[in-house]
Every structure is written in C-alpha cells, then in structure tokens.
Amino acid sequence: MKKEKILFKLQNYFFCFFLLIINYSFCQRDIDNDEIRIAVDKAKTLANNGNVIAAEQAFKLALLEVESQSLNYLKSKILIEWGIVLSNSFEYKNAHDKFSKAYSDALEFNDSLQQAKIEIHLGNVNYSLGNKTESSKFHNLSKSKILKIKDSSNVAAYLWSSIGTINFMRGQDSAKYYLKKAIVIAEKYTDNKLISNSYMNLASVYAFIEKEMDSASYFYEKAIKYAHKTGLKRFINDTEIRYYSAKISSQNDLESLKKIKEIGAVFKEEKDWENYKVSQYILSEYYKNKNDFKKALTYHEGYVNAIDSLNLIANRNSNIKYKEGLNFIEQKKQLEIIEKQKEIETKNSRFTQLLIIGCSLAIICVLLLLYIRKKNALVKTLNEKVSFQNKTILLKADVELKNKELLTNNIKLTENNTALEHAVTALKKIQLGASSVKSKTAINDLISELKLRQSTNLWTEFEYRFNAINPNFYSKLLKDFPDLTANDKRIAAFIKLNLSTKDIATITKQSINSIDVAKTRLRKKLNCTQDKQDFFNFINNY
C-alpha cells in the first residue's frame, strides 16, 4: 500500500510534467510572426539550457518588439510561453502572474479560444499552488468553451487531453472519457506526441484508479509505440520511465527495474537533474521496500545529489540576480555622481540660468498678454454672436406670434361668416312662411343687414396681413416656382402657419379629401415628395 502511494505520487509528478508538454506543444504553434517567433524560440532555448533569467530577458525583448510593431494580439501568446517556462522551473507564482496578464489581454480582444487555453493554464498553476477552488473554477470556464469547439479541431484534442490529465490528478474516473476523446481526435491528425501522452495518461488511470493492470499494460505499450514514432529521445525516456515505474509497482518486474537504471544514467549524462532525481527516488524506494538498505542508500545519495545539483542551478540563478542587483546599485551610484556634477555645473552657471529664466518670463508675459487680447476678442465675438442669435430668436418668436394672431383672426372671421350665412338661410325660410307683407319686409331688411356684416374680402384681407408678417414668402416662393396658382399660394401659406389638414378644411369650407389633393398637387409642383415634417420644413425655409 505504501509503495502504491509512492508510485501514485510519482505518477502525479509525471502528469504535471506531461501537462506542461501538452501546453508547450499547443501554444508554440500560435505565433504567426516570424521575427517574434524566433525571439520566443530563443527564450525557450535559453530556459531549456537552465538559464531562466536570460530567458526572461529575451521574453521582455520579445514583448518590446510586439509593442514597437503594434502587434498587440501576440502579447498574450508571449505571456503564455513565458508562463510555461516559469512553470517548468516550478516558479508557479510568477507563472500565475504571467497567465493572469495574458488572460486580461484575451478578454480585451474577446478571443474565446485564447481564453480557453489560458484558463487551462490558470487551472493547472492554481492546482500546483494548492488553490483547488480557483483551479476548478478556471477548468470549468475552459470546459464550457471547449464544448463549443468541434471535435475535428486539433486544438480540441490538446484541450481534452489537458482536462483528462487534471481529472486523473484529482482521482476522477471521468479522466478516461476526456483522454479517449483526445486520442480519437489526435489520431486523425497523426499527432504522435499527443497520442502517446494521452495513451500514457489513460494507462495510468487504469493502473492507479481502476486497478486493471491488463488494460493499463495495453495502453502503456501503445504509448511507448507512439513515443518512438516522435523520435524525441527525452520524450521517449520520460514515457518509458512511467511505464516501468508502474510495472515495478504492480508486477515487481526486474526488467523494468533495469530499464529505469539505464534511463536514470541517461538523465545523469544529460544533466537532466529533475528527471534523474525521480529515477533515483523510484530505485531508492524500491530497494527500501525490499529491505536492501545498502542499495536503497546508494540511490538515495543519487537522489540527494540531484537535489544538490538543482540547488546549485537555483543558487547560480540567485547569484545572477544578485549580480544584476549589484549592477543596478552601481548604476545608481554613477547616476548620483552625474547628478552631483550637474548640480555643480548648475551653481557655476546660475547667472546664465537667471538670464534664461528672465527672458523666459518676459516671453511668457508677452504671450500671456497676446492670449488675453485674443481671449477678449473671442469673448466679444461670442457675445455678439449670442446677441444676434437672441435677436433672431425674438424676431422669429414675434413672427410666430403674429402668424398665430393672423390665424386666430381669420378663423374668427370664417366662423362669423359661416354663422351669418346660416342665419340668412334660416331667415329666408321664415320669410317664405310669413303671411303679411310687413313681416316679409322686416325679415328682408334683417337679411340685408346680416349680409352687410359678412366679410366679403376675407382672403384679400388674409393675404394682406400674411404678407405684412412674412414679407418675402410669396416673392421667394414664386421666384423658384412661378407656375403656382392662387390656391397653391394659399395652401402654402396655411402650411407655413403649421395648420393641420382639418383646420385648413374648416377655414376654406372644403372637404379634408380636397385639401389632401391640393397638398399632393403642391408637393409635385415643388418637387418635394418627402414626409410631412420634411414638407413643412421645406415650405418654412421660404
């Protein structure tokens, strides 16, 4: 049981490593600018050689190049690559910072696919930092986007493989579903590296969750087969050591033990201290469980030596940072010396400075006076403009008031004439029924008096008063449209007064239909076929 826990811990380590391989393979295809891609590749090469500090400087230069070329859409992709390098160096906090900045950029550009990728990274890093709630949140966000990606996309294969890997690390049986789904898609694209990794993770699910070693062995062999197709020695060794560690755990296989020793020797030769540390730990634990403490101690020493080598690298990086800090302090001192020299030069040339200041003040005063004059002129012009606008508004209001009075007067006269006509008609009917000559004569006199009270020149009086209020209306209108009839002019005047069709019909004693026909005829003559508001504005402009 103890041995299985140890091996399960190692499997989790390998899963973290393979998750980084997935992310690395997935992201490196995104940068479509040759110059930027070369700069990023240089940074990753430096990181692979253990020079993470130089790699970070290279990433900074790549970001500066992106800004200089205004290729802001590449910023998040560079930050992702930077975050992966930091994750590989187990600098999870710094990696989280880079992924978070990349995520902000992806949100700004509304790039759902890029967001899904970064959410996978943030989920993984948060898991490594022990923030399981945040990890689940980002994985769920990513999953909701992944479900919208077609299975025919190779991008989906990488993302499903990542989800499956994380689910295995959480001990969830659903890991099988996602890994199998990733394999189906990856096989369409013959992506041997991803296929191998997915098979290896699937085998581990069967070995450590399902406890089905026959199925696990089948998928382990498939994983090794596809690993050899990649031709990548490091990847093949990583895949095989996982397989052999599982066989040792379940079957106590001596051949697998031999293979782990051989692979460990390769790691040592290549100075791959991280993986060498793992191989020595596996061997040390194996012999400890066999009670062969001598060999267990030997491999434990190898494990400790690997840790020492990693610490040396970390110390070397710290020394580089320390030296950079010293350089910064030295530069700061030099700047202070330069500042003191400048201060001395300033004191020696105080008269010159005072003279320059005096001249500058004089120029400022002149410019200020010119500015005040110009400002006063602008204020005066603005006041005149406001005054003119106010006068125009008042004049317009006065014209509108007079037009309203004219309209009111005309309506009253029309109503008065109508009432008189009705009275005359009624009296004529009474006259016909009168019996005496005296009554008929009296009624006739009354009819004559009522007719005298009627305004016989109603329209003449209306046009006279309208012209007095709007002196140029008819002249401008007839200048542009000389063929207008008297009735056309009258309708145009009513429209300028903003009368409705019903009001015009009441005043002219015509039907609403007749007024509509007259308006339509006038529109055609004026070549104005717009809507009612535009027709009113057209007439009102005269």
Side-chain angles (χ1 to χ4, degrees):
M1 188 69 181
K2 183 180 177 182
K3 183 167 68 175
E4 287 186 1
K5 285 183 178 179
I6 292 166
L7 268 296
F8 188 76
K9 183 179 178 182
L10 289 168
Q11 288 294 330
N12 268 343
Y13 166 79
F14 282 119
F15 265 79
C16 290
F17 177 74
F18 272 83
L19 190 58
L20 292 171
I21 290 173
I22 288 171
N23 293 334
Y24 174 77
S25 303
F26 180 59
C27 293
Q28 68 179 348
R29 305 178 183 186
D30 279 353
I31 299 175
D32 54 10
N33 181 284
D34 291 339
E35 189 174 350
I36 303 300
R37 188 173 62 253
I38 290 168
V40 171
D41 286 343
K42 179 183 177 182
K44 290 192 290 189
T45 301
L46 288 167
N48 289 336
N49 291 332
N51 198 344
V52 177
I53 293 174
E56 291 197 76
Q57 292 297 326
F59 278 122
K60 288 178 184 177
L61 291 173
L63 286 174
L64 288 172
E65 190 64 32
V66 162
E67 290 176 5
S68 68
Q69 296 186 37
S70 299
L71 301 171
N72 292 330
Y73 71 96
L74 290 177
K75 188 177 177 182
S76 66
K77 297 176 181 180
I78 293 172
L79 287 169
I80 291 171
E81 298 284 6
W82 195 346
I84 291 169
V85 165
L86 291 169
S87 294
N88 275 318
S89 302
F90 304 100
E91 295 185 28
Y92 296 120
K93 287 186 179 179
N94 290 334
H96 183 277
D97 177 59
K98 297 299 178 287
F99 289 138
S100 296
K101 288 179 181 178
Y103 192 52
S104 296
D105 285 347
L107 290 172
E108 183 180 342
F109 284 96
N110 198 25
D111 188 340
S112 296
L113 182 59
Q114 190 76 340
Q115 289 167 28
K117 297 176 193 175
I118 301 168
E119 283 161 359
I120 287 287
H121 290 299
L122 284 169
N124 297 344
V125 171
N126 274 297
Y127 189 86
S128 299
L129 289 170
N131 303 327
K132 293 188 178 179
T133 303
E134 284 293 298
S135 176
S136 296
K137 182 186 84 171
F138 282 111
H139 283 137
N140 288 332
L141 285 171
S142 179
K143 187 176 178 181
S144 67
K145 294 180 178 69
I146 293 166
L147 290 173
K148 297 176 184 179
I149 301 172
K150 294 180 180 179
D151 283 353
S152 59
S153 169
N154 199 30
V155 173
Y158 279 101
L159 294 175
W160 288 130
S161 186
S162 296
I163 290 287
T165 301
I166 291 295
N167 284 355
F168 169 80
M169 292 165 71
R170 290 172 175 165
Q172 296 175 0
D173 187 56
S174 59
K176 288 192 299 184
Y177 167 77
Y178 292 111
L179 291 168
K180 286 178 179 178
K181 195 171 183 179
I183 290 167
V184 170
I185 301 169
E187 284 181 338
K188 291 179 183 178
Y189 290 87
T190 61
D191 192 332
N192 294 322
K193 193 172 184 180
L194 178 61
I195 295 168
S196 173
N197 185 59
S198 299
Y199 271 126
M200 179 58 69
N201 293 345
L202 185 59
S204 296
V205 171
Y206 279 102
F208 293 97
I209 296 179
E210 302 291 334
K211 308 298 183 184
E212 296 178 14
M213 289 311 302
D214 290 339
S215 298
S217 295
Y218 171 76
F219 289 119
Y220 276 132
E221 288 171 4
K222 281 245 181 189
I224 292 172
K225 173 186 171 184
Y226 281 101
H228 280 279
K229 285 185 178 182
T230 66
L232 302 172
K233 188 176 179 183
R234 168 80 179 274
F235 183 75
I236 294 167
N237 288 338
D238 291 331
T239 305
E240 288 182 343
I241 199 169
R242 287 180 65 189
Y243 171 52
Y244 298 134
S245 65
K247 288 190 74 175
I248 290 173
S249 173
S250 61
Q251 300 171 8
N252 198 22
D253 186 70
L254 295 177
E255 185 63 29
S256 297
L257 185 67
K258 181 181 177 183
K259 288 288 186 181
I260 290 176
K261 291 178 181 178
E262 291 174 356
I263 294 170
V266 172
F267 287 145
K268 185 177 181 180
E269 184 181 347
E270 294 177 351
K271 296 184 179 180
D272 183 354
W273 301 118
E274 191 62 49
N275 282 316
Y276 178 69
K277 178 184 75 172
V278 174
S279 67
Q280 299 305 291
Y281 182 78
I282 293 170
L283 294 168
S284 175
E285 290 298 319
Y286 172 79
Y287 283 112
K288 188 166 69 173
N289 287 323
K290 290 290 184 182
N291 295 322
D292 189 344
F293 296 108
K294 185 177 180 181
K295 287 185 177 179
L297 180 60
T298 300
Y299 288 109
H300 183 74
E301 287 175 354
Y303 171 73
V304 172
N305 289 336
I307 291 174
D308 289 341
S309 297
L310 288 169
N311 289 335
L312 282 172
I313 292 170
N315 290 334
R316 184 180 65 188
N317 291 339
S318 298
N319 288 334
I320 292 171
K321 288 183 178 180
Y322 177 71
K323 287 178 181 178
E324 286 183 349
L326 289 176
N327 289 335
F328 175 76
I329 293 169
E330 186 63 31
Q331 289 174 359
K332 190 175 180 181
K333 286 181 178 179
Q334 289 178 358
L335 286 172
E336 288 174 354
I337 292 169
I338 292 169
E339 287 296 326
K340 286 181 180 179
Q341 289 175 346
K342 285 183 178 179
E343 189 177 344
I344 293 168
E345 290 174 1
T346 301
K347 288 179 180 178
N348 293 335
S349 59
R350 179 167 292 181
F351 175 78
T352 304
Q353 287 183 350
L354 289 172
L355 182 62
I356 293 170
I357 291 170
C359 292
S360 298
L361 288 172
I363 292 169
I364 289 169
C365 289
V366 172
L367 291 174
L368 187 60
L369 287 171
L370 291 173
Y371 170 75
I372 292 169
R373 283 188 181 182
K374 188 174 181 180
K375 186 178 180 180
N376 290 337
L378 286 171
V379 170
K380 185 179 178 181
T381 303
L382 182 62
N383 289 337
E384 289 174 353
K385 186 177 179 180
V386 170
S387 177
F388 176 76
Q389 287 176 344
N390 290 337
K391 287 179 181 178
T392 303
I393 291 169
L394 290 172
L395 183 61
K396 187 177 180 180
D398 185 54
V399 170
E400 287 179 356
L401 180 64
K402 288 181 178 179
N403 279 338
K404 191 176 287 186
E405 290 175 353
L406 170 63
L407 179 60
T408 303
N409 182 61
N410 197 68
I411 290 171
K412 284 182 179 179
L413 288 173
T414 302
E415 289 173 348
N416 184 52
N417 280 355
T418 301
L420 291 172
E421 284 176 4
H422 288 161
V424 168
T425 302
L427 287 170
K428 283 180 179 180
K429 287 181 181 179
I430 295 169
Q431 189 181 37
L432 290 173
S435 56
S436 66
V437 175
K438 187 177 179 180
S439 296
K440 288 183 178 181
T441 303
I443 290 170
N444 194 52
D445 290 342
L446 185 58
I447 289 171
S448 297
E449 187 178 346
L450 290 173
K451 284 184 176 181
L452 285 172
R453 289 176 180 273
Q454 285 183 298
S455 296
T456 54
N457 297 318
L458 183 64
W459 295 116
T460 303
E461 185 179 347
F462 171 80
E463 289 187 350
Y464 175 77
R465 291 189 178 185
F466 181 81
N467 273 325
I469 299 169
N470 306 280
N472 299 317
F473 178 73
Y474 283 136
S475 59
K476 287 181 179 179
L477 193 63
L478 290 172
K479 182 180 178 182
D480 292 341
F481 306 98
D483 296 332
L484 297 180
T485 64
N487 190 53
D488 292 333
K489 289 165 57 183
R490 196 171 297 145
I491 294 295
F494 286 136
I495 291 170
K496 184 170 180 65
L497 293 174
N498 202 19
L499 286 179
S500 67
T501 301
K502 184 179 178 181
D503 290 338
I504 297 171
T506 301
I507 293 170
T508 59
K509 298 181 183 179
Q510 296 181 44
S511 66
I512 290 175
N513 187 50
S514 298
I515 300 302
D516 282 333
V517 171
K519 279 186 173 183
T520 303
R521 190 182 299 117
L522 180 60
R523 280 173 188 258
K524 290 180 180 179
K525 286 185 179 182
L526 299 180
N527 297 320
C528 184
T529 57
Q530 299 97 328
D531 58 29
K532 290 182 181 179
Q533 186 61 36
D534 288 337
F535 185 42
F536 167 74
N537 291 336
F538 179 81
I539 297 262
N540 201 42
N541 284 333
Y542 280 92

